[in-house]
Amino acid sequence: MASGRGGLEEVIAGSTSVSEVDGERGGLTYRGYTIADVVAHLGFEGTVELLWSGVPAADEPPLPLREALAHRRSLPSDCARVVDTLGTTTDPMDALRMGLSALGQFPYPPTLEQGVALVAAAPTVLARFHRRRQGREPIAPDPRLGHVANFLYMLEGAPPDPRRVYALESYCICVADHGMNASTFALRVVLSTQADLLSAAAAAVGALKGPLHGGAPSKAVEMLDAIGRPENAEPWIREALARRERLMGFGHRAYKVEDPRAVLLRQIAERVAAPERFALAARVEEVALAELRRAKPNERLYTNVEFYAGLVLEAAGLPRDLFPAVFGVARTAGWVAHAREQSEHNRLIRPGVDYVGLRGLAFPASAPRRAAP
Ligand code: ACO
């Protein structure tokens, strides 16, 4: 039986112990720990360790994982060559997908070592692509820096400011995993055929690219730019809704209340964004929620993770067109956890479908026939 509104809504597509989304109460936990606690206690490497092993590491940051990631951060030469051939107009999400696909042979089933290699290489691929498209030399990773600080360092070549590292790391932790989201589902479908981790990751990056999933934060800040001033928020949003446009950063398939990551990212944005930018965003959010209630009274539409994510990524100094790919860089952590979980209890994912086409048709006797040799 298909779900009422399509899109597999409310269909249980499997089981996981990696993260739990409670859409009615606005809850998100990683291995049983609330996302607020994870952000308060762990850095990105600590979050990866928690997602992969199921328990927080004894030390923060977990040095063995930090060292393993540092060891795999430089790209294999074939992969670097692929990234270097990409044109300057390549979409950064496509660069991430192609770069990760060129990491080498990662035979099924996915191992922890493969997971380390994938997570470690993702920021290097993106930073290398970004430097090359600017006509600049790539920057080699610095083994003294952590995962997120290294990413900023490889993009810019200067020691990153701790406030910006904090902003970006908080964002990466918030989006490291999220139940059976579209990209994780795509990854699990590919892995269920016993294809390799890199093929599954390519599918996941593809699914993440769309604006209904990972492509929204750059669009949310574009909306802020278009609105420009707090007093423009009301007419702008009313007109957009009258044109039946979607407000980026609002609404969510799972959350029927506020997305808990939006709560955290709002707090972080307030600390790291320019005050006037934050004030504009806060006003836009206020008006958007009121207008969505008015325009869509039967829907429960609240702020999702992407609205304040845009502000946090902007404050971290990232170029806007990298935002979706940075989401992918962070989500590799969750993808690896799901890949391993899928392969440990694998059964081919192959759902049924309601056939709604015609039946029982026959070609007329006069219809042309294909010639047989
Ligand atoms: N702005 C305006 N209307 C909206 C919005 C929005 N942001 N979100 C949903 N609606 C409306 C739809 O137009 C639809 O109304 P209609 O039936 O009258 O046309 C109704 O609410 C239901 O929308 P669906 O698309 O069926 O709901 P779904 O659960 O599939 O939507 C989604 C989830 C895709 C995220 C949607 O809310 C959306 O498009 N939001 C904007 C894009 C966005 O913020 N994406 C990031 C999501 S977070 C993430 O993936 C990490």
Side-chain angles (χ1 to χ4, degrees), residues 5 211-213 246-251 253 296 299 304:
R5 299 171 78 182
L212 302 192
H213 189 7
R246 292 193 174 207
L247 304 179
M248 290 294 143
F250 296 91
R253 173 65 62 82
K296 306 275 171 187
E299 303 292 335
N304 68 42

Side-chain angles (χ1 to χ4, degrees), residues 5 9 211-214 216 241 244-253 256 261 292 296 299 301 304-306 327 331:
R5 299 171 78 182
E9 185 166 7
L212 302 192
H213 189 7
L241 288 176
R244 303 190 65 80
E245 285 175 14
R246 292 193 174 207
L247 304 179
M248 290 294 143
F250 296 91
H252 198 280
R253 173 65 62 82
K256 300 307 167 202
R261 302 163 301 172
L292 282 169
K296 306 275 171 187
E299 303 292 335
L301 301 172
N304 68 42
V305 62
E306 303 283 27
F327 187 171
R331 186 53 67 84

Side-chain angles (χ1 to χ4, degrees), residues 194-330:
Q194 299 190 353
D196 59 282
L197 178 61
L198 295 183
S199 299
V205 174
L208 189 65
K209 187 177 174 187
L212 302 192
H213 189 7
S218 47
K219 298 205 169 1
V221 288
E222 277 165 21
M223 177 171 76
L224 293 184
D225 288 348
I227 293 173
R229 304 164 66 85
E231 56 271 30
N232 297 341
E234 202 166 293
W236 194 97
I237 287 172
R238 282 192 173 182
E239 282 163 29
L241 288 176
R243 289 192 300 270
R244 303 190 65 80
E245 285 175 14
R246 292 193 174 207
L247 304 179
M248 290 294 143
F250 296 91
H252 198 280
R253 173 65 62 82
Y255 293 115
K256 300 307 167 202
V257 293
E258 191 172 38
D259 183 332
R261 302 163 301 172
V263 177
L264 291 168
L265 290 172
R266 183 188 299 112
Q267 289 162 3
I268 290 156
E270 192 165 14
R271 286 174 68 174
V272 299
E276 61 285 4
R277 192 75 169 149
F278 181 78
L280 171 65
R283 175 66 186 150
V284 168
E285 182 188 26
E286 183 187 22
V287 173
L289 293 175
E291 292 301 320
L292 282 169
R293 261 196 306 275
R294 202 178 55 79
K296 306 275 171 187
N298 299 326
E299 303 292 335
R300 292 159 70 191
L301 301 172
Y302 293 90
T303 317
N304 68 42
V305 62
E306 303 283 27
F307 185 69
Y308 283 103
L311 235 61
V312 171
L313 293 174
E314 202 175 64
L318 289 163
R320 200 171 283 181
D321 74 338
L322 291 191
F323 289 5
V326 173
F327 187 171
V329 163

Side-chain angles (χ1 to χ4, degrees), residues 12 25 66 157 168 173 231 250 254 323 344:
I12 302 299
R25 279 179 289 192
R66 199 179 178 123
L168 182 56
I173 295 166
E231 56 271 30
F250 296 91
F323 289 5
E344 275 158 22

